[in-house]
Amino acid sequence: MAVRIITDSAADLSRDMIRERSVEVMPIKISFGSEELRDGVDISTEEFYDRMSTEAELPKTSQINPFEYREKYRQVIETGDTAVVITISSKLSGGCQSAMTAAAEFPEQIFVVDSLNATVGQLVMVELACRLRDRGMDAEQIACALEEKKGSICVLAMLDTLENLKKGGRISPAAATVGSLLNVKPLAALRDGEIVVLGKARGARMGYVKLNEFIAQEGVIDYDMPLCFGYTGNSAEMLISYQKTNGELFEGRVYDIPVAQIGSAIGTHVGTGTIIIAYFRR
């Protein structure tokens, strides 16, 4: 009997991580007008950003429904396996409720964890789940450990604009005025499953300074736990610039930090030019 790790595409796992860590990913749907596409299946991340840049209206995302989760769970049960299901924050999407509704039929085999996160914050939870599975924990033990540790995840971001968040109703128009000035970089965080605007900085370099200040305020990075960078758009230039000028935070402490290209589920809302870091505080 194997423990299977299942998540949704909002976790932004790379193809390599999906293959190497044996993670199963359920695609969130993204719509351009009346055309509905499965994230990472019918449209790649690169294609998504190319298309978003030419569309007059923002694309819309839709949650995975209970029927889709039920079908996945039945596949797990038929093979005699168990599963830990790590979903996007219940405060950002109804997908978590869908996963829990479907899991009610299989209380001893399927264990759903509301990540209270998305993108790289959700990704580091998936990586932790894989580490615990590889140490021999069963599905229930892994789910309990994730519930215990998820409150220590920090997700901090520097955005190029708040316009997409405002259009998508994720923040208020008043909060969006932070990023309306020329060359101002808004700083934001995921807290208790929701997006919170922390402040602003004039230009990218001051944004890096502010980002590090917020990292210090959030708590010491636990370098023994999963850590991940992310970026939106089809260029990692901004993230590379940050890494080059802020290497002292990581050099000699951790190697081969994974980098995720943030996909359509979250890229729709934050737009291009965003960099994100996710880590567990010590």
Side-chain angles (χ1 to χ4, degrees), residues 149-255:
K149 293 297 293 183
K150 70 183 182 183
S152 63
I153 295 175
C154 300
V155 180
L156 297 164
M158 184 181 81
L159 290 74
D160 191 49
T161 176
L162 295 174
E163 191 61 26
N164 285 38
L165 284 170
K166 183 181 77 173
K167 287 180 179 177
R170 297 294 178 179
I171 61 171
S172 67
T177 59
V178 168
S180 63
L181 301 175
L182 183 64
N183 202 31
V184 165
K185 302 295 182 183
L187 284 298
L190 263 172
R191 285 185 177 163
D192 298 320
E194 297 182 294
I195 298 166
V196 178
V197 178
L198 301 177
K200 62 182 183 296
R202 179 72 68 178
R205 289 197 175 273
M206 284 305 299
Y208 302 157
V209 172
K210 281 283 189 183
L211 190 58
N212 289 346
E213 288 177 0
F214 286 124
I215 289 173
Q217 290 172 20
E218 289 291 314
V220 178
I221 297 172
D222 187 342
Y223 294 100
D224 295 325
M225 294 287 280
L227 169 72
C228 189
F229 287 118
Y231 68 95
T232 61
N234 286 331
S235 171
E237 182 179 351
M238 188 71 76
L239 178 58
I240 292 168
S241 174
Y242 171 76
Q243 290 172 314
K244 284 181 178 178
T245 56
N246 296 274
E248 71 280 356
L249 271 176
F250 311 101
E251 287 175 3
R253 296 184 174 97
V254 63
Y255 303 94

Side-chain angles (χ1 to χ4, degrees), residues 93-166:
S93 168
C96 178
Q97 185 58 51
S98 293
M100 289 181 172
T101 298
E105 296 180 32
F106 316 104
E108 296 182 0
Q109 293 92 12
I110 307 296
F111 300 88
V112 178
V113 179
D114 177 359
S115 74
L116 287 180
N117 257 293
T119 189
V120 290
Q122 188 175 341
L123 185 153
V124 296
M125 279 194 70
V126 172
E127 171 59 23
L128 178 57
C130 291
R131 292 185 187 184
L132 298 176
R133 175 200 60 195
D134 295 347
R135 292 175 195 166
M137 281 192 180
D138 65 31
E140 186 174 12
Q141 290 171 329
I142 293 170
C144 288
L146 295 180
E147 291 287 357
E148 182 181 336
K149 293 297 293 183
K150 70 183 182 183
S152 63
I153 295 175
C154 300
V155 180
L156 297 164
M158 184 181 81
L159 290 74
D160 191 49
T161 176
L162 295 174
E163 191 61 26
N164 285 38
L165 284 170
K166 183 181 77 173

Side-chain angles (χ1 to χ4, degrees), residues 14 28 40 42 45 54-55 60 79 103-104 121-122 132 137 151 167-168 184 197 204 207 213 233 267 272 280:
S14 67
I28 290 171
D42 303 319
T45 300
T54 63
E55 295 282 338
K60 293 180 172 59
T79 57
Q122 188 175 341
L132 298 176
M137 281 192 180
K167 287 180 179 177
V184 165
V197 178
E213 288 177 0
T272 59
F280 289 82

